[in-house]
Amino acid sequence: MTRWGILATGHIAGRFAEDLRLVPGAELVAVGSRTRESAERFAARHGARRAYASWAELAADADLDVVYVATPHAAHHAAALTCLRAGRAVLLEKPFTLDLATSRELVDAARAAGVFLMEAMWMRTNPLVRRMCELIADGAIGAVTSVRADFGAAGEFPPEHRMRARALGGGALLDLGVYPVSLAHLLLGVPDHVRSWAKVSPEGVDENTGIVFGYDSGAVATLSCGMVGATPLVASITGTGGRIDLPEPFFRPGSMTLHRDGAEPETVTTELVGNGYQYEAEEVQRCLAAGLPESPLVPHSVTLEVMALLDGIRAQIGVDYT
């Protein structure tokens, strides 16, 4: 049995707790929050045995095998570091932190302590995404030449909302753009050239952002993210011998369409249950059982490379969080 703790009590934490019930061998033992009332409400709703009024109290619970950190991302570094220093394995919600430097600090802390750490980039653990990577590796569409992906959300976010608060790491890029960037990285690796543009809000965060990755191989990735309108949330991967289309939402697909040159389109489907977070929990438990310090599906190197890309994009569009 893998004994889980959850640090934070917001919407994503709740969805993760729901999916944890679907994971064989998983048990939600404790929850921690900044207030006892919030922790107790969450524990009662999701069946956790203990509720703590601080991050430190949760991290000190020696009965926990791993803690899922689901705070707003401006608090990721401090919350995860608290758990790692207490010897707790950590599944840390994306984006890992606000920048590469603090992400490196977490990776270094985990390695020094010999404690498991993984970014909760659930897209990389999704069964269809993994199947897509297998098909591409087997040459189903030839060499990848183009990746297109978008993630735009509609919403009237007031100036005080976390999406517009610079001090909280607001803006579209870290919250939404991390998905298109991660998909391009998954399929093409680190680009040789990056060009970005954004409409920056009066609060100093990006509202609508376009990104182009260029590769010396000739491949390109055209990506976008925004919080000024709902985009299709789809992705398309083109190769020298065909194309794969991922439907909405591309980061949690239940199907994909494979277009091989000269053949009828093939639809590949899988039955997705729950909210889709159980796959990352299963990967954590698999790694812990095997004694691995990091996940081969979401290794530290990938997390740091994506964070470096996000830092570079922010520099180009003029967004900082200091």
Side-chain angles (χ1 to χ4, degrees):
M1 184 65 67
T2 303
R3 299 161 299 183
W4 285 82
I6 295 181
L7 196 160
T9 57
H11 176 67
I12 298 300
R15 289 168 67 88
F16 182 87
E18 292 170 0
D19 281 1
L20 207 55
R21 299 191 184 102
L22 304 173
V23 179
E27 179 186 10
L28 177 56
V29 172
V31 60
S33 180
R34 293 184 185 274
T35 67
R36 184 167 301 280
E37 294 77 14
S38 179
E40 288 178 346
R41 285 196 301 269
F42 190 95
R45 185 180 313 121
H46 297 288
R49 297 200 302 267
R50 293 189 288 279
Y52 295 111
S54 72
W55 301 347
E57 287 181 285
L58 177 71
D61 189 336
D63 196 35
L64 299 178
D65 296 308
V66 56
V67 174
Y68 169 62
V69 175
T71 64
H73 41 266
H76 283 181
H77 177 262
L81 197 58
T82 297
C83 295
L84 292 171
R85 286 175 172 169
R88 304 292 156 249
V90 172
L91 173 63
L92 178 58
E93 192 48 64
K94 60 82 201 160
F96 213 52
T97 67
L98 296 185
D99 56 35
L100 177 60
T102 50
S103 291
R104 279 184 175 147
E105 287 179 11
L106 291 185
V107 169
D108 289 345
R111 289 174 175 171
V115 176
F116 178 87
L117 171 66
M118 173 180 143
E119 182 179 16
M121 177 44 73
W122 58 324
M123 178 179 69
R124 293 181 71 102
T125 65
N126 177 276
L128 251 295
V129 172
R130 295 177 64 180
R131 178 60 181 145
M132 175 189 72
C133 291
E134 291 173 353
L135 285 168
I136 291 173
D138 289 342
I141 61 170
V144 176
T145 59
S146 173
V147 175
R148 298 179 62 186
D150 66 85
F151 195 162
E156 296 182 5
F157 302 109
E160 65 275 10
H161 192 280
R162 70 168 183 84
M163 288 290 286
R164 290 193 174 275
R166 191 175 70 172
L168 297 179
L173 181 64
L174 290 196
D175 206 88
L176 310 176
V178 65
Y179 287 107
V181 169
S182 292
L183 181 67
H185 181 280
L186 174 65
L187 298 170
L188 289 170
V190 177
D192 299 294
H193 313 277
V194 179
R195 296 291 183 270
S196 311
W197 177 93
K199 168 67 168 59
V200 178
S201 76
E203 298 81 21
V205 301
D206 64 304
E207 292 184 327
N208 202 28
T209 303
I211 305 161
V212 177
F213 289 166
Y215 298 81
D216 288 347
S217 67
V220 297
T222 52
L223 318 169
S224 67
C225 59
M227 54 184 190
V228 293
T231 61
L233 305 185
V234 298
S236 184
I237 300 94
T238 301
T240 54
R243 187 180 81 247
I244 293 176
D245 293 329
L246 295 176
E248 175 188 8
F250 72 86
F251 48 85
R252 184 190 175 268
S255 68
M256 62 180 168
T257 302
L258 171 61
H259 303 265
R260 301 178 194 261
D261 286 355
E264 290 295 314
E266 306 168 41
T267 299
V268 182
T269 63
T270 189
E271 182 182 0
L272 292 180
V273 295
N275 302 303
Y277 296 97
Q278 68 270 30
Y279 306 113
E280 61 186 2
E282 290 172 355
E283 174 63 6
V284 169
Q285 293 189 178
R286 186 190 69 81
C287 292
L288 291 178
L292 300 178
E294 59 183 299
S295 164
L297 291 182
V298 195
H300 297 159
S301 60
V302 163
T303 292
L304 295 178
E305 286 172 358
V306 170
M307 287 307 308
L309 287 170
L310 296 176
D311 273 12
I313 294 166
R314 286 195 300 106
Q316 287 189 6
I317 64 179
V319 171
D320 68 77
Y321 302 126
T322 58

